[in-house]
């Protein structure tokens, strides 16, 4: 029982986010006695994935943003004279400015219920600030304060030819699954900003396309369990540190992955596909033969740049963007390399950093597909659960909906020695790990955070239409104004098991300069537009 836990552990971990779950699994695997607790009712913390109704409930919780007082009246009595208490926060203050917008036809009926849901939750639906508009979506906006660690960490990896260490990666381009489910328009749940639904910037003739049977809000609610909407959406380098960890720890057996099928670029108001592999370069119709040779020569140099220091030593003090201008690359190629391979900005990195990033990109190509990135089936929220599963297999104890009142600190040594939980039980441990959202602003006063703006859209068309509707894409939209930042766009199709067929789940992320809506709305307007009411009919 959660109210009668053992009184002593080797490690106590508070919060079930990805970093905390990895450490809990490592400690349990090495023979430590681990207690892993979370006041939330789900695994993953701010790394979790939700169904549509689950996301609406999460949004409602953060929109209300009310402090929950559930203190044990006698927990202060557990503190001895030579000790002091660090009270933990009851609410997550790292999530701010959450908004939701709805562009789907709103015909919500009282009897509409999410298919397979355990219970009806109309409150979470009606609380969303939705306004009638045209097409596909509801969407939330938020600013999020997160630590700067990222899953996109470059690193060395073992060859995929080893069958005992290979990840299970499914082929995304399954033509048999291709369906034009035009009635599956979607609505938007998540951690981010404003959304819309139809693709506009691509120079394709959309005017003469037949009308679709637009999805309604009721359909979105009914099919809500088909969605797995990430609060944090990241891609993994196929030769990155996290993939290496998943394979070496054998946690990869708990998860499946999809290879990202294409890298996109946004230039001159158009979305274009970036050729990555040698075959892509020579099959590309966007590049001239001269450009293909230029690009292959430069990419070959990037893979071996450390062996030729004389080629770049003189440019170490300038930005990577300026360095590219000296390499006899056309403006088109410079743009592709800078924004879609190195994934940096004109002023964002030095020559050395840019070459390292480009090499890392190229080094990850071909391991599991023609792009360097992987995405976990059912969303990023699967990863914390995989590590929690391993921790439990090796004896870790898990308690969700279990609050910790305070950390007990020895005044003389300044070291934490125990926690007091919601039942007033004092639990001793040698080591403690606490997710930062549980700590008060005063406790974290000397920690420097960066703010991240996020948006999640549900659309019925891809940002770049192709013959296959099962495309998983990453797109970088460069900043246009001083003081703003590039926006990373990840578009997921239904084969990732994150949305229903005929729809796409689009995540937008950038470093915050204003609110999430102000940061991301200009990019949303460039890539998408809502349908008019005549188009819905």
């Amino acid at each position: 029982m959660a109210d009668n836990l053992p009184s002593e552990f080797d490690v106590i971990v508070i919060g079930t986010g990805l970093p905390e779950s990895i450490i809990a699994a490592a400690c349990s695997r090495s023979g430590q006695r681990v207690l892993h607790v979370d006041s939330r009712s789900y695994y993953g913390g701010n790394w979790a994935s939700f169904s549509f109704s689950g996301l609406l409930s999460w949004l409602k919780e953060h929109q209300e943003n009310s402090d929950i007082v559930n203190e044990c009246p006698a927990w202060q009595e557990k503190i001895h004279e030579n000790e002091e208490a660090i009270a933990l926060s009851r609410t997550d203050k790292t999530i701010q400015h959450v908004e939701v917008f709805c562009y789907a036809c709103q015909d919500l009926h009282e009897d509409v219920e999410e298919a397979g849901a355990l219970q009806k939750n109309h409150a979470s639906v009606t609380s969303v600030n939705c306004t009638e508009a045209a097409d596909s979506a509801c969407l939330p906006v938020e600013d999020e304060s997160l630590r700067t660690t990222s899953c996109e960490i470059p690193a060395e990896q073992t060859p995929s030819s080893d069958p005992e260490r290979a990840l299970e990666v499914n082929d995304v381009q399954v033509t048999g699954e291709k369906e034009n489910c035009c009635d599956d328009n979607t609505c938007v749940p998540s951690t981010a900003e404003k959304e819309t639904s139809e693709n506009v910037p691509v120079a394709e003739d959309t005017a003469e396309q037949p009308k679709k049977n637009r999805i309604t809000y009721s359909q979105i609610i009914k099919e809500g369990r088909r969605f797995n909407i990430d609060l944090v959406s990241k891609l993994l380098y196929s030769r990155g540190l996290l993939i290496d960890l998943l394979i070496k720890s054998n946690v990869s057996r708990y998860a499946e992955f999809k290879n990202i099928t294409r890298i996109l670029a946004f230039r001159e108001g158009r979305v274009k596909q970036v050729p990555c592999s040698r075959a892509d370069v020579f099959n590309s119709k966007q590049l001239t033969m001269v450009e293909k040779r230029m690009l292959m020569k430069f990419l070959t140099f990037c893979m071996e740049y450390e062996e030729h220091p004389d080629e770049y030593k003189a440019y170490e003090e300038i930005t990577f963007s300026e360095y590219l201008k000296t390499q006899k690359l056309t403006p088109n190629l410079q743009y592709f390399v800078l924004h879609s391979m190195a994934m940096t900005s004109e002023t964002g990195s030095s020559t050395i950093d840019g070459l390292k990033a480009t090499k890392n990109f190229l080094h990850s190509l071909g391991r599991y597909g023609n792009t360097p990135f992987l995405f976990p089936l059912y969303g990023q929220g699967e990863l914390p659960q995989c590590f929690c599963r391993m921790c439990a297999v090796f004896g870790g104890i898990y308690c969700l909906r279990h609050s910790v009142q305070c950390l007990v600190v020895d005044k003389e040594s300044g070291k934490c020695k125990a926690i007091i939980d919601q039942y007033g039980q004092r639990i001793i441990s040698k080591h403690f790990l606490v997710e930062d959202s549980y700590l008060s602003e005063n406790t974290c006063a000397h920690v420097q955070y960066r703010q991240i703006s996020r948006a999640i859209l549900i659309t019925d068309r891809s940002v770049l239409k192709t013959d296959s509707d099962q495309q998983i894409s990453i797109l970088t939209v460069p900043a246009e104004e001083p003081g703003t930042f590039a926006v990373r766009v990840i578009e997921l199709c239904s084969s990732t098991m994150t949305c229903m067929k005929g729809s796409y789940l689009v995540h937008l992320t950038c470093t915050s300069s204003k609110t999430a809506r102000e940061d991301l709305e200009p990019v949303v307007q460039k890539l998408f537009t809502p349908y008019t009411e005549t188009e819905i009919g």
Side-chain angles (χ1 to χ4, degrees):
M1 295 291 290
D3 57 348
N4 188 25
L5 293 168
S7 60
E8 186 174 352
F9 288 87
D10 296 316
V11 180
I12 294 177
V13 181
I14 303 174
T16 54
L18 182 58
E20 295 79 25
S21 299
I22 292 174
I23 294 176
C27 293
S28 181
R29 179 77 178 266
S30 64
Q32 304 292 307
R33 295 170 298 167
V34 177
L35 173 64
H36 202 171
V37 300
D38 199 327
S39 62
R40 305 174 181 92
S41 60
Y42 53 87
Y43 289 97
N46 290 335
W47 296 78
S49 300
F50 294 104
S51 67
F52 185 71
S53 65
L55 181 65
L56 293 181
S57 299
W58 181 89
L59 289 167
K60 180 184 178 184
E61 174 187 340
H62 285 279
Q63 284 173 330
E64 292 175 349
N65 199 25
S66 58
D67 288 330
I68 302 172
V69 179
N70 185 28
E71 294 186 358
C72 174
W75 72 266
Q76 294 90 344
E77 300 176 3
K78 304 286 184 177
I79 307 299
H80 303 155
E81 291 184 3
N82 61 337
E83 299 171 342
E84 59 182 355
I86 299 178
L88 298 186
S89 175
R90 302 292 184 274
T91 59
D92 186 352
K93 301 294 181 61
T94 64
I95 310 295
Q96 304 170 2
H97 309 303
V98 179
E99 297 181 56
V100 178
F101 304 86
C102 181
Y103 291 86
C105 177
Q106 297 186 53
D107 60 343
L108 187 62
H109 302 293
E110 291 185 359
D111 59 345
V112 174
E113 183 176 359
E114 185 177 80
L118 296 179
Q119 62 179 12
K120 216 176 203 183
N121 192 357
H122 288 307
S124 66
V125 175
T126 56
S127 68
V128 177
N129 181 23
C130 296
T131 58
E132 272 196 45
D135 174 28
S136 79
C138 278
L139 93 126
V141 174
E142 91 181 46
D143 267 352
E144 187 168 350
S145 172
L146 293 177
R147 64 195 73 183
T148 57
T149 55
S150 167
C151 293
E152 297 180 0
I153 303 176
E156 293 300 317
Q157 185 52 271
T158 56
S160 59
S161 59
D162 185 350
E164 295 182 357
R165 306 191 65 192
L167 279 180
E168 185 170 355
V169 180
N170 295 318
D171 185 8
V172 177
Q173 295 182 344
V174 181
T175 56
E177 294 183 1
K178 177 177 147 187
E179 289 185 25
N180 292 323
C181 300
C182 300
D183 58 334
D184 275 345
N185 226 3
T186 325
C187 166
V188 111
S190 172
T191 339
E193 133 92 68
K194 169 177 184 177
E195 120 148 276
T196 1
S197 161
E198 181 176 341
N199 180 341
V200 166
V202 185
E204 297 176 350
D205 186 8
T206 59
E208 298 182 359
Q209 293 183 356
K211 289 183 179 180
K212 294 184 176 183
N213 296 321
R214 306 301 174 197
I215 195 169
T216 64
Y217 193 67
S218 295
Q219 290 173 302
I220 295 168
I221 296 295
K222 187 175 181 180
E223 300 295 325
R225 290 181 69 82
R226 294 184 181 271
F227 291 92
N228 287 288
I229 303 167
D230 296 325
L231 298 184
V232 175
S233 185
K234 294 180 179 292
L235 302 180
L236 312 181
Y237 276 110
S238 63
R239 296 188 187 275
L241 288 176
L242 185 54
I243 295 298
D244 188 36
L245 176 61
L246 287 167
I247 295 173
K248 289 182 177 179
S249 64
N250 217 16
V251 172
S252 59
R253 62 184 173 176
Y254 299 127
E256 296 179 67
F257 296 82
K258 289 283 190 182
N259 184 248
I260 304 307
T261 58
R262 58 186 183 175
I263 310 293
L264 304 179
F266 184 80
R267 188 165 187 243
E268 298 175 349
R270 293 167 56 92
V271 177
K272 302 178 181 179
Q273 185 166 348
V274 178
C276 299
S277 65
R278 182 183 297 270
D280 289 341
V281 170
F282 285 104
N283 290 331
S284 174
K285 296 180 180 179
Q286 304 177 50
L287 306 179
T288 66
M289 186 57 65
V290 174
E291 284 183 315
K292 292 176 182 180
R293 291 174 179 172
M294 287 179 178
L295 181 58
M296 286 307 303
K297 181 179 179 181
F298 180 74
L299 295 183
T300 301
F301 163 72
C302 289
M303 285 295 293
E304 305 169 348
Y305 80 93
E306 293 169 318
E307 300 175 10
H308 307 282
D310 295 341
E311 297 287 334
Y312 64 87
K313 281 292 184 182
Y315 305 101
E316 288 184 336
E317 301 300 323
I318 64 175
T319 65
F320 187 53
S321 175
E322 293 172 333
Y323 171 73
L324 291 175
K325 296 175 182 178
T326 69
Q327 296 303 299
K328 299 180 181 179
L329 298 174
T330 64
N332 198 37
L333 296 180
Q334 292 176 33
Y335 191 93
F336 284 172
V337 173
L338 183 68
H339 297 292
S340 299
M341 294 185 181
M343 295 190 174
T344 185
S345 63
E346 281 79 0
T347 59
S349 63
S350 65
T351 297
I352 296 297
D353 291 338
L355 289 172
K356 287 180 180 178
T358 305
K359 179 181 178 180
N360 181 64
F361 180 96
L362 298 171
H363 184 59
S364 296
L365 282 174
R367 186 175 190 192
Y368 298 115
N370 288 332
T371 70
F373 299 111
L374 297 176
F375 182 82
L377 279 181
Y378 302 98
Q380 293 286 348
E382 288 294 294
L383 296 182
Q385 293 187 64
C386 289
F387 285 100
C388 289
R389 194 172 294 123
M390 170 159 280
C391 178
V393 166
F394 286 90
I397 295 178
Y398 277 83
C399 296
L400 297 181
R401 304 183 187 88
H402 196 96
S403 299
V404 175
Q405 300 292 339
C406 69
L407 304 175
V408 180
V409 179
D410 182 78
K411 290 183 178 179
E412 183 177 348
S413 64
K415 293 182 178 181
C416 186
K417 57 193 297 187
I419 64 169
I420 297 178
D421 69 6
Q422 64 188 43
Y423 300 105
Q425 182 178 1
R426 182 185 175 108
I427 305 174
I428 301 171
S429 179
K430 301 174 184 177
H431 305 283
F432 299 84
L433 178 67
V434 183
E435 180 188 316
D436 55 359
S437 65
Y438 284 90
L439 301 174
S440 67
E441 294 180 358
N442 292 335
T443 305
C444 299
H446 301 292
V447 179
Q448 185 174 1
Y449 292 97
R450 63 169 181 168
Q451 294 287 328
I452 302 296
S453 293
R454 303 189 186 279
I456 300 173
L457 322 180
I458 298 174
T459 69
D460 69 342
R461 292 191 186 180
S462 172
V463 293
L464 181 60
K465 187 178 179 181
T466 61
D467 292 338
S468 172
D469 62 354
Q470 295 302 304
Q471 298 282 358
I472 309 174
S473 311
I474 179 171
L475 165 67
T476 301
V477 180
E480 291 188 347
E481 299 178 2
T484 61
F485 300 90
V487 176
R488 187 69 50 78
V489 181
I490 298 174
E491 182 183 73
L492 306 173
C493 62
S494 60
S495 66
T496 63
M497 313 306 289
T498 59
C499 58
M500 51 193 202
K501 288 185 178 181
S503 65
Y504 296 87
L505 194 61
V506 184
H507 294 268
L508 296 90
T509 307
C510 73
T511 301
S512 298
S513 57
K514 302 175 184 177
T515 65
R517 183 176 183 179
E518 292 171 319
D519 288 337
L520 299 173
E521 190 168 21
V523 174
V524 172
Q525 292 174 347
K526 290 177 184 177
L527 298 177
F528 306 95
T529 186
Y531 292 115
T532 63
E533 293 188 16
T534 56
E535 289 176 311
I536 296 178

